[in-house]
Amino acid sequence: MIETRQLCKTFKAGKQNVEAVRGVNMTVQKGEIFGFLGPNGAGKTTTMRMLSTLLQPSGGEATVAGYDLRRDPAQVRQKIGYVAQGGGSEPSMTGRENLVLQGRLFFMPAADARQRASELITALEMDTFADRIVKTYSGGQRRRMDLALGMVHRPALLFLDEPTTALDPQSRLHLWEEVRRLRQSGTTVFLTTHYLDEADALCDRLAIMDHGQIVAEGTPAELKRQVAGDVITLGLAVEMLPQGENLLHGQSFVREIHTRTDSLQVYVERGEEVLPVILRLLDSAQLPVQTVALARPSLDDVFLRMTGRSLRESA
Amino acid sequence: MKKVMTETRLMFAWNLRITLRSPIWVIIGLIQPVLYLLLFAPLLDNLSNSGSFPKGGALNVFTPGLLIMMGIFSGAFVGIYLIESLHNGVLERLRVTPVSRTALLLGMLLRDMLVYMVQCAILVGAGLLMGLDPDPVGLLVMFVLLGLVSLTIATVSYGLALALRDQDALVQMIQFFAVPLQLLSGILLPMTLAPRLLRNISDANPFSHAVEAARALIIGDFADYNVWLAFVLFAALALLAFNWVTGSLKRAAA
């Protein structure tokens, strides 16, 4: 659905050239939710704006929804929907009016455009506010309307720029549901986010972006596995710690082991499978385990590993 | 071509509905010229008997100038609306649809022109009540000229809006240019009263020829060279401005 080769964007800021995007190569498959995760200023939005025909790339190639981005931007526009960070509904008109105009601009006859607007209003549960002017909407209502505007012409590919920024938790979950439903209907969704949990919960695959480049790409699970594996923390009586370490050290599944003041930290590949084995081993060696914890690496650990910074700090 | 026309019609209707939802601005734009007409025009009555005052009587001289002034000011500020839609994302959303950039611009310009024509009609109506005595055909031709002038200014205003992207900067820019343009086009008092130097400067100001042309037309003097000069000047300026703005709409502008 999307393929890019060495996509670049350089802005002029005064006399300096700012390289916002520095050679992005990626492939987005049909029907998946693909996410761009990265701190603010990483180049996520710039990349998205190039792919949605709003910005001319400074270099590189891209095919979007089957058409060449540089040669055929008009065809690309027919196939894609785009929901900007700040939305784009006209504040002094009602949501329904906005939807109808949007349909008309995609060559729908008036009756079809009205029909489609009603469909979306029902589907996204906007009946209570669709006929009020957009200015009066709450943040969540407005976001849903923005999403609907991007969906009017049933695009094959929908771009969502920071779809849940500044939403309350409930509206956020609601929006995630809508995005998953879009995937079910066969739409490819490309979104940017700087929320770890959003990338984790929503995206089939994601690319981590930093300083205008993709530093890692894969499913959330793959990315996390790439990092350190899982950490199992075993609480043992202090005098038994050396024995425990000796016992586990020779096991093939242990990557690394560290002794802390009152516990052992064991780094392993697949924590959920290894944990019962470890417990059985220690038990049969008469080393009673007092506490146990299994920690999964988060996407933040992935980001930390790739960039040397925590995403939470940079965002 | 048919596509552009359909889209222009859609965008025009849309923009007009937005304007009609808060028609207060249309009325506010009228207040200043109406005040000038009521409170300033009577002062010209005695002056108009002096030798260097153009022919036609005070109101016939003053009203066309007022109409152009209203065109300059209401036209110059239309860009503010575009800056708003730059910031609230409306323009960006429209730019990702297949709608042609020409239709986007024309949809706004036609709305602006219609609003201005209505304002002009109201002002001329007030003038008639006070004793304005226009030549009917000349009046119609003058409206065509007024439309062309306001179209030019509004287009430039949209171009500046896209270039500056900032409301304060746009307002300052307008104030910087609009007042000298207005003073040097003999809107309030005819330039025939001015010293030679000022008159020469004003000759280089296209608005001055538009004002003179409108004054000639309202008394039915089609032979005045300012009439064709103003039409040619503003047709050319409008075309230049239109190309400039559709160009910047096509490039990144959000």
Side-chain angles (χ1 to χ4, degrees):
Chain A
M1 191 50 77
I2 302 178
E3 210 176 326
T4 72
R5 280 179 305 280
Q6 288 301 319
L7 201 63
C8 299
K9 182 71 196 178
T10 310
F11 290 109
K12 276 207 187 81
K15 280 179 190 161
Q16 280 188 319
N17 281 338
V18 179
E19 292 179 83
V21 176
R22 302 188 289 178
V24 163
N25 296 304
M26 62 172 185
T27 306
V28 176
Q29 303 295 336
K30 193 170 184 304
E32 68 180 351
I33 301 179
F34 187 90
F36 251 13
L37 175 69
N40 292 329
K44 303 179 306 257
T45 298
T46 306
T47 308
M48 182 176 272
R49 290 164 56 87
M50 283 194 279
L51 294 175
S52 56
T53 77
L54 280 168
L55 276 182
Q56 278 272 11
S58 322
E61 303 278 323
T63 313
V64 178
Y67 292 95
D68 188 285
L69 186 62
R70 283 169 181 280
R71 270 184 307 238
D72 251 339
Q75 291 291 345
V76 171
R77 285 186 198 119
Q78 298 260 25
K79 299 282 173 196
I80 62 167
Y82 169 75
V83 181
Q85 227 169 98
S89 20
E90 169 61 46
S92 54
M93 303 294 262
T94 72
R96 189 187 297 274
E97 288 168 324
N98 270 287
L99 289 169
V100 172
L101 175 77
Q102 185 79 358
R104 300 282 278 136
L105 292 180
F106 281 99
F107 315 117
M108 288 184 193
D112 292 8
R114 276 196 296 273
Q115 160 95 35
R116 177 67 179 149
S118 303
E119 249 174 65
L120 284 168
I121 288 165
T122 314
L124 296 179
E125 294 164 44
M126 302 190 291
D127 313 74
T128 50
F129 57 86
D131 292 306
R132 278 194 283 135
I133 60 172
V134 171
K135 233 182 275 185
T136 64
Y137 290 7
S138 72
Q141 291 173 337
R142 195 164 181 151
R143 214 67 195 116
R144 254 188 282 171
M145 186 53 75
D146 293 335
L147 185 67
L149 275 171
M151 292 162 58
V152 167
H153 57 298
R154 299 186 182 83
L157 168 63
L158 186 61
F159 290 98
L160 305 175
D161 195 4
E162 305 275 356
T164 64
T165 299
L167 282 193
D168 59 89
Q170 204 194 339
S171 311
R172 209 159 162 240
L173 290 177
H174 197 128
L175 208 100
W176 286 3
E177 271 319 299
E178 293 307 335
V179 174
R180 291 195 184 107
R181 214 170 296 163
L182 270 170
R183 173 182 50 189
Q184 266 168 32
S185 68
T187 309
T188 310
V189 179
F190 183 110
L191 60 89
T192 69
T193 181
H194 59 257
Y195 295 122
L196 296 158
D197 56 339
E198 182 159 288
D200 215 346
L202 197 55
C203 297
D204 299 318
R205 278 194 321 123
L206 52 100
I208 296 183
M209 216 173 174
D210 191 41
H211 294 308
Q213 278 174 320
I214 291 180
V215 293
E217 191 183 337
T219 67
E222 273 167 16
L223 284 173
K224 284 184 280 191
R225 218 172 300 141
Q226 260 180 36
V227 191
D230 300 341
V231 189
I232 297 172
T233 308
L234 301 160
L236 295 177
V238 179
E239 65 276 13
M240 294 176 179
L241 285 174
Q243 259 181 288
E245 185 174 353
N246 278 337
L247 177 68
L248 292 176
H249 203 77
Q251 303 297 327
S252 59
F253 52 76
V254 174
R255 273 214 207 152
E256 262 177 73
I257 184 161
H258 299 290
T259 305
R260 302 274 179 257
T261 47
D262 57 352
S263 64
L264 291 174
Q265 275 195 320
V266 191
Y267 290 81
V268 297
E269 204 50 61
R270 291 170 189 277
E272 70 278 20
E273 289 166 22
V274 172
L275 186 55
V277 182
I278 290 181
L279 290 180
R280 251 177 274 132
L281 267 172
L282 291 173
D283 214 37
S284 51
Q286 308 292 317
L287 299 167
V289 176
Q290 290 160 348
T291 62
V292 63
L294 169 63
R296 286 280 162 79
S298 68
L299 286 174
D300 200 26
D301 296 321
V302 182
F303 190 79
L304 181 71
R305 162 81 173 276
M306 298 297 173
T307 67
R309 317 194 303 287
S310 162
L311 182 59
R312 282 180 228 281
E313 289 156 20
S314 5
Chain B
M1 195 61 203
K2 186 161 172 279
K3 172 178 174 283
V4 175
M5 273 167 63
T6 314
E7 288 170 353
T8 304
R9 195 172 44 78
L10 278 170
M11 291 314 301
F12 168 66
W14 176 255
N15 289 318
L16 190 61
R17 270 158 79 196
I18 293 173
T19 302
L20 290 181
R21 218 147 269 195
S22 42
I24 185 74
W25 296 109
V26 181
I27 296 158
I28 286 178
L30 263 171
I31 290 177
Q32 203 190 8
V34 166
L35 284 178
Y36 268 107
L37 194 65
L38 291 176
L39 306 179
F40 188 78
L43 272 64
L44 295 175
D45 253 344
N46 293 325
L47 203 62
S48 67
N49 299 326
S50 85
S52 48
F53 205 83
K55 53 186 187 291
L59 268 177
N60 281 346
V61 170
F62 190 58
T63 314
L66 267 188
L67 293 171
I68 301 241
M69 181 179 92
M70 186 164 68
I72 293 180
F73 280 98
S74 67
F77 285 105
V78 294
I80 286 182
Y81 170 74
L82 187 64
I83 291 179
E84 237 171 74
S85 34
L86 267 173
H87 291 313
N88 63 23
V90 172
L91 184 68
E92 193 165 279
R93 170 173 60 88
L94 293 172
R95 285 180 61 234
V96 189
T97 70
V99 66
S100 85
R101 318 291 112 153
T102 309
L104 277 185
L105 181 57
L106 269 180
M108 296 189 290
L109 287 173
L110 290 177
R111 183 263 322 262
D112 301 332
M113 226 159 85
L114 180 68
V115 168
Y116 173 63
M117 287 289 137
V118 170
Q119 289 176 320
C120 285
I122 294 173
L123 201 66
V124 167
L128 287 175
L129 291 179
M130 293 176 63
L132 178 71
D133 178 26
D135 174 78
V137 182
L139 188 69
L140 279 179
V141 180
M142 181 186 76
F143 264 75
V144 177
L145 177 65
L146 292 175
L148 190 60
V149 172
S150 77
L151 184 81
T152 311
I153 301 167
T155 313
V156 171
S157 176
Y158 287 129
L160 289 175
L162 289 175
L164 298 171
R165 317 164 60 79
D166 176 72
Q167 295 200 357
D168 295 340
L170 181 66
V171 170
Q172 278 180 10
M173 181 83 109
I174 293 168
Q175 273 160 356
F176 186 79
F177 284 108
V179 173
L181 273 182
Q182 181 196 355
L183 290 175
L184 286 174
S185 54
I187 281 175
L188 295 178
L189 290 171
M191 288 318 280
T192 43
L193 299 171
R196 174 146 300 279
L197 175 68
L198 271 187
R199 224 184 302 170
N200 288 343
I201 300 177
S202 125
D203 270 344
N205 176 4
F207 289 100
S208 151
H209 298 291
V211 171
E212 288 308 319
R215 280 180 183 146
L217 285 169
I218 208 167
I219 55 171
D221 179 7
F222 297 94
D224 192 315
Y225 81 101
N226 281 303
V227 173
W228 64 262
L229 184 59
F231 270 104
V232 170
L233 269 176
F234 277 91
L237 287 173
L239 210 64
L240 276 176
F242 194 83
N243 276 332
W244 171 45
V245 181
T246 43
S248 26
L249 271 176
K250 269 180 199 140
R251 282 190 304 277

